[in-house]
Amino acid sequence: MKKIGSILILAMFFVASAFAPKTQNVHEVEADIVDLAVSTDFLSTLVAAVKAGDLVDVLKGDGPFTVFAPTNDAFAALPAGTVENLLKPENKDKLVAVLTYHVVPGKIMSSDLKNGQKATTVQGSAVTVTLKDGKAMINDATVTAADIEADNGVVHVIDKVILPPM
């Protein structure tokens, strides 16, 4: 049953269109944000980082949260050694800052976004939304799948790790 659930969730990621107008076609699963990410192979680096940052309980909380979830490929595109260094216990504060920069309080669906909009993240700094040529960007990351609803919020998959101002 778990395997079927994972396949369905993956199918939703691939079928979801990036910020297409939504009416009845919102993608919703019966899982919180963490469970959704755990069941998705291409978000395994994000899951490992969330665990290392002790953020599992927070992201399993009531929310709602909007999470801009970088893929494994997004983490792999960072300079060599970056992920490994962030996962070290002595760098936990930096890791938490990076991860919480990907989370906005509240449930923000793609239809709520406006070009040039700023959204303050849990980390404290704002991200900027750009809508262009039918695509949405969060800072310099492109949204590749949008409006994947979880019990406690919504996930938008992005193709880059966005870094907070340091």
Side-chain angles (χ1 to χ4, degrees):
M1 190 64 157
K2 185 175 180 181
K3 191 170 192 165
I4 291 171
S6 295
I7 292 170
L8 288 174
I9 290 170
L10 279 174
M12 285 191 294
F13 276 125
F14 292 116
V15 171
S17 62
F19 294 91
K22 303 292 179 200
T23 53
Q24 304 168 1
N25 296 329
V26 174
H27 308 283
E28 186 168 359
V29 295
E30 292 185 27
D32 61 45
I33 289 170
V34 174
D35 293 339
L36 176 71
V38 166
S39 67
T40 307
D41 289 340
F42 62 85
L43 296 177
S44 62
T45 305
L46 176 61
V47 170
V50 166
K51 288 178 180 176
D54 289 328
L55 295 172
V56 171
D57 288 340
V58 173
L59 291 175
K60 284 180 127 341
D62 291 338
F65 305 107
T66 298
V67 175
F68 300 106
T71 62
N72 294 344
D73 289 342
F75 280 101
L78 291 171
T82 301
V83 173
E84 293 79 9
N85 282 329
L86 284 172
L87 293 176
K88 291 179 180 176
E90 62 268 24
N91 293 327
K92 183 177 174 182
D93 289 344
K94 289 180 185 176
L95 175 64
V96 168
V98 169
L99 293 174
T100 56
Y101 190 61
H102 289 79
V103 180
V104 175
K107 186 175 179 181
I108 304 171
M109 303 302 288
S110 61
S111 59
D112 299 327
L113 297 176
K114 308 282 183 273
N115 192 41
Q117 176 180 358
K118 303 258 186 216
T120 301
T121 67
V122 172
Q123 181 267 347
S125 300
V127 292
T128 302
V129 175
T130 304
L131 304 176
K132 185 177 178 184
D133 299 328
K135 295 199 183 256
M137 296 186 73
I138 307 302
N139 290 357
D140 64 343
T142 302
V143 175
T144 58
D147 294 343
I148 303 160
E149 287 196 75
D151 291 342
N152 61 345
V154 62
V155 175
H156 305 291
V157 178
I158 57 176
D159 67 351
K160 289 184 181 178
V161 176
I162 54 177
L163 300 174
M166 297 281 181

